């Protein structure tokens, strides 16, 4: 955690967070109810990349929705038996109302996992239900420890056309078991499972579901092309460890929109590999659009870029963002040894209330793999654009720390109004080893971001990335 809070402040945040969660879930329930047919039972309508010719219900494969019986075998058997039909118009597996306890299972191509309202996929707390898998090539080890990782609850590798959706059905990661063991040092050589991890795949959609209490990261597409994450609610305690919301990682052409995240870590963390491993793999995250996100994260960022950014992060568009009681808006995290770059970042139309920082950049995020990073591998941070933002009750507008021999350049801020908290930091703008310009920013920025002549409006692209033009189809489950 980056800063500590008084207990009274934490209680206020927790109370507000509970109210907002109830409102968010209620609004999703009202929206999905319009999709039911006149009986309220069948033919739930949903939007997807592709509809499916073949359909089956989880109970056809012996599943029991009592919250106690393990259904890992049923999920695996269902997907295995449905897979041969995937090439003939695709298949969907419907998870009906009930509590469906399961360990890790893998998806297949041309496949939809549809979680109905009233259905909960309940993640097993039995470690034996999660195979141990090798770490990702761009990381070289797990993020919790040097060594392998537990397979994610819902996984898939080398897939084409895979959809995880529902009418606000739930995935419950039952994370408390994992958080307690992690905090006590119980994972010395292995990393906790994520909830959803899709690897080296294309045409991926995750939408209209609720994920609660993930053991660690919630949604992790990595090495993927053409990804949509839409209408997802993610909820975890604000003090839960590493429960990042959505982490696009070495992905190209990704759209994240209309999501609501309450997290113990970054609501969205954009990544592309860690130190020498990320440099070697060399897969950037690029063509990323994030819009209409609501985030609560008192100890982390609304959107983080890094710190694992060694494959590069570029062409990121972020707009129409609401941040409540969140540590920082956009945080760029990097370090000596990362290499890579964060460049061509465009952010606009943010509304923020109760923030520690608005802008935060750090060149000293010194978490590294066990050994072997190159101290000569310097990150490039350049062409970072922020415009049209308001923030109330802010402790410090900006903490911008570049690297002495590798300054962060071409930072632009325009049309930004920040109202300070009752007890702000004495140094409002803490800036070192950066350069750029500002225009119509209140309070006045540091001298390294001067106003220059006529008003400037920081850039935002007028074109669209390809995924923004994709039209989803109306399907039935």
């Amino acid at each position: 955690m980056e800063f500590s809070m008084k207990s009274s402040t934490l209680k206020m945040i927790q109370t507000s967070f509970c109210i907002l969660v109830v409102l968010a879930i209620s609004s999703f329930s009202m929206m999905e109810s319009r999709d039911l047919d006149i009986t309220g039972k069948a033919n739930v309508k949903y939007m997807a990349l592709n509809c499916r010719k073949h359909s089956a219900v989880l109970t056809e494969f012996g599943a029991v929705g009592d919250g106690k019986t393990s259904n890992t075998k049923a999920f695996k058997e269902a997907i295995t038996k449905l897979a041969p039909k995937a090439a003939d118009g695709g298949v969907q597996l419907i998870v009906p109302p009930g509590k469906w306890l399961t360990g890790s299972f893998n998806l297949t191509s041309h496949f939809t996992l549809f979680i109905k309202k009233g259905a909960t996929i309940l993640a097993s707390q039995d470690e034996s239900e999660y195979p141990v898998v090798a770490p990702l090539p761009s990381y070289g080890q797990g993020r919790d420890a040097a060594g392998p990782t537990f397979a994610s609850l819902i996984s898939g590798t080398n897939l084409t056309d895979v959809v995880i959706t529902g009418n606000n059905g739930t995935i419950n990661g039952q994370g408390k078991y994992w958080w307690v063991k992690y905090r006590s040092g119980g994972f010395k050589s292995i990393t906790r499972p994520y909830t959803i991890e899709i690897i080296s795949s294309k045409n991926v959609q995750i939408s209209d579901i609720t994920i609660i209490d993930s053991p660690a990261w919630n949604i992790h597409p990595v090495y993927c092309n053409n990804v949509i994450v839409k209408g997802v609610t993610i909820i975890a305690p604000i003090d839960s460890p590493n429960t990042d919301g959505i982490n696009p990682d070495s992905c190209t052409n990704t759209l994240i929109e209309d999501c609501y995240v309450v997290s113990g870590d970054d609501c969205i963390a954009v990544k592309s590999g860690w130190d020498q491993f990320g440099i070697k793999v060399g897969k950037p995250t690029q063509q990323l659009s994030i819009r209409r996100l609501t985030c609560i994260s008192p100890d982390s960022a609304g959107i983080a870029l890094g710190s694992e950014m060694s494959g590069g992060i570029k062409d990121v568009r972020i707009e129409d963002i609401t941040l409540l009681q969140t540590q920082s808006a956009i945080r760029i995290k990097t370090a000596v040894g990362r290499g890579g770059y964060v460049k061509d970042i465009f952010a606009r139309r943010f509304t923020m209330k109760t923030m520690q920082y608005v802008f935060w950049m750090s060149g000293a995020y010194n978490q590294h793999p066990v050994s072997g990073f190159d101290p000569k591998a310097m990150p490039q941070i350049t062409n970072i654009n922020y415009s049209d933002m308001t923030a109330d009750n802010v402790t410090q507008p900006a903490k911008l720390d570049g690297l002495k021999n590798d300054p962060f350049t071409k930072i632009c801020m325009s049309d930004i109004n920040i109202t300070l908290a009752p007890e702000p930091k004495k140094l409002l703008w803490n800036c070192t080893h950066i350069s750029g310009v500002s225009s119509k920013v209140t309070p006045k920025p540091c001298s390294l971001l001067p106003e220059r002549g006529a008003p400037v409006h920081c850039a935002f692209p007028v074109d669209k990335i390809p995924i923004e033009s994709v039209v989803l189809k109306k399907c039935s489950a």
Side-chain angles (χ1 to χ4, degrees):
M1 293 186 181
E2 302 294 342
F3 72 100
S4 60
M5 294 176 289
K6 295 179 180 179
S7 60
S8 59
T9 303
L10 181 59
K11 288 179 181 177
M12 179 188 72
I13 290 171
Q14 290 171 330
T15 301
S16 301
F17 142 69
C18 291
I19 294 170
L20 289 164
V21 168
V22 170
L23 291 173
I25 293 174
S26 297
S27 65
F28 272 105
S29 297
M30 287 185 288
M31 288 189 290
E32 67 82 22
S33 66
R34 299 189 194 101
D35 292 333
L36 300 177
D37 72 359
I38 194 168
T39 68
K41 295 181 180 179
N43 298 321
V44 177
K45 304 298 182 184
Y46 67 96
M47 306 302 293
L49 290 168
N50 286 296
C51 303
R52 309 304 184 190
K53 180 178 177 181
H54 306 281
S55 183
V57 180
L58 183 62
T59 49
E60 295 175 32
F61 303 90
V64 179
D66 61 3
K68 299 177 182 179
T69 304
S70 174
N71 294 291
T72 308
K73 181 179 178 181
F75 273 103
K76 290 180 176 180
E77 182 178 326
I79 294 166
T80 298
K81 289 186 175 180
L82 291 171
K85 298 180 180 179
D88 179 29
V91 295
Q92 67 180 0
L93 177 63
I94 298 170
V95 182
K99 293 182 178 180
W100 309 94
L101 182 67
T102 182
S104 176
F105 60 91
N106 293 312
L107 305 180
T108 190
S109 293
H110 309 295
F111 180 86
T112 295
L113 179 67
F114 189 91
I115 308 169
K116 283 205 167 186
K117 179 183 178 182
T120 297
I121 294 178
L122 199 60
S124 174
Q125 296 178 320
D126 180 351
E127 293 182 16
S128 69
E129 294 255 47
Y130 297 84
V132 176
V133 297
L136 292 165
S138 56
Y139 284 77
Q141 65 174 66
R143 284 303 279 116
D144 288 347
T149 70
F150 286 112
S152 298
L153 177 67
I154 301 174
S155 303
T157 303
N158 296 321
L159 304 182
T160 298
D161 179 23
V162 61
V163 177
I164 303 170
T165 190
N167 56 330
N168 201 30
T170 298
I171 302 173
N172 184 340
Q174 297 205 106
K176 186 175 179 179
Y177 164 83
W178 305 92
W179 307 331
V180 170
K181 186 170 179 177
Y182 170 75
R183 286 183 172 128
S184 67
F187 297 116
K188 297 185 183 299
S189 60
I190 195 165
T191 290
R192 289 165 286 162
Y194 304 149
T195 296
I196 299 173
E197 184 174 57
I198 307 298
I199 305 171
S200 300
S201 299
K202 62 182 180 180
N203 304 339
V204 176
Q205 176 187 335
I206 302 169
S207 63
D208 300 312
I209 59 173
T210 295
I211 304 174
I212 62 174
D213 293 351
S214 180
W217 298 355
N218 281 265
I219 296 174
H220 184 219
V222 56
Y223 317 143
C224 290
N225 293 332
N226 312 332
V227 178
I228 295 174
V229 181
K230 178 182 176 68
V232 173
T233 296
I234 295 172
I235 299 170
I238 56 177
D239 61 349
S240 54
N242 312 115
T243 51
D244 301 34
I246 305 163
N247 290 4
D249 194 341
S250 295
C251 290
T252 295
N253 196 30
T254 301
L255 173 62
I256 301 171
E257 65 178 1
D258 300 317
C259 292
Y260 178 92
V261 182
V262 180
S263 173
D265 211 306
D266 303 316
C267 288
I268 294 177
V270 184
K271 301 176 181 293
S272 65
W274 200 11
D275 287 2
Q276 69 270 28
F277 303 105
I279 293 170
K280 182 178 180 179
V281 171
K283 286 184 178 290
T285 287
Q286 58 190 344
Q287 294 183 319
L288 169 63
S289 176
I290 302 169
R291 57 197 188 192
R292 298 187 300 276
L293 166 74
T294 298
C295 164
I296 300 172
S297 183
D299 271 340
S300 289
I303 298 100
L305 305 174
S307 73
E308 306 93 327
M309 38 63 68
S310 300
I313 297 171
K314 66 180 180 180
D315 190 9
V316 179
R317 299 106 180 273
I318 310 168
E319 57 186 328
D320 300 316
I321 306 298
T322 301
L323 304 173
L324 308 171
Q325 297 166 337
T326 294
Q327 188 183 39
S328 61
I330 297 175
R331 185 179 180 191
I332 297 175
K333 302 185 283 188
T334 188
V336 172
R338 285 290 193 273
Y341 52 79
V342 176
K343 63 182 182 180
D344 305 336
I345 309 299
F346 310 95
R348 66 180 179 181
R349 298 199 299 261
F350 278 49
T351 301
M352 297 165 273
K353 297 183 184 297
T354 309
M355 309 287 292
Q356 178 78 357
Y357 311 103
V358 174
F359 307 110
W360 195 357
M361 301 181 185
S362 174
Y365 204 85
N366 293 315
Q367 294 181 359
H368 299 282
V370 170
S371 63
F373 77 89
D374 181 0
K376 295 181 181 179
M378 304 297 285
Q380 179 192 21
I381 312 299
T382 189
N383 195 23
I384 313 297
N385 299 272
Y386 305 117
S387 63
D388 301 316
M389 298 183 178
T390 61
D392 296 328
N393 196 25
V394 174
T395 303
Q396 186 174 31
K399 185 177 181 181
L400 309 174
D401 298 317
L403 292 164
K404 184 177 181 180
N405 298 316
D406 184 28
F408 300 171
T409 63
K410 296 184 181 179
I411 300 167
C412 182
M413 298 183 182
S414 68
D415 301 287
I416 296 167
N417 185 49
I418 299 170
T419 302
L420 298 174
E423 297 181 6
K425 291 277 190 180
K426 290 183 179 179
L427 181 60
L428 297 181
W429 292 76
N430 187 350
C431 309
T432 58
H433 310 303
I434 65 160
S435 64
V437 298
S438 64
S439 180
K440 295 191 285 185
V441 177
T442 304
K444 184 178 178 180
C446 60
S447 61
L448 298 179
L449 297 172
E451 290 196 19
R452 294 179 179 171
V456 172
H457 193 75
C458 303
F460 196 96
V462 296
D463 65 332
K464 293 183 177 181
I465 64 171
I467 198 73
E468 293 180 284
S469 299
V470 169
V471 178
L472 299 180
K473 301 171 183 176
K474 193 168 187 178
C475 307
S476 299

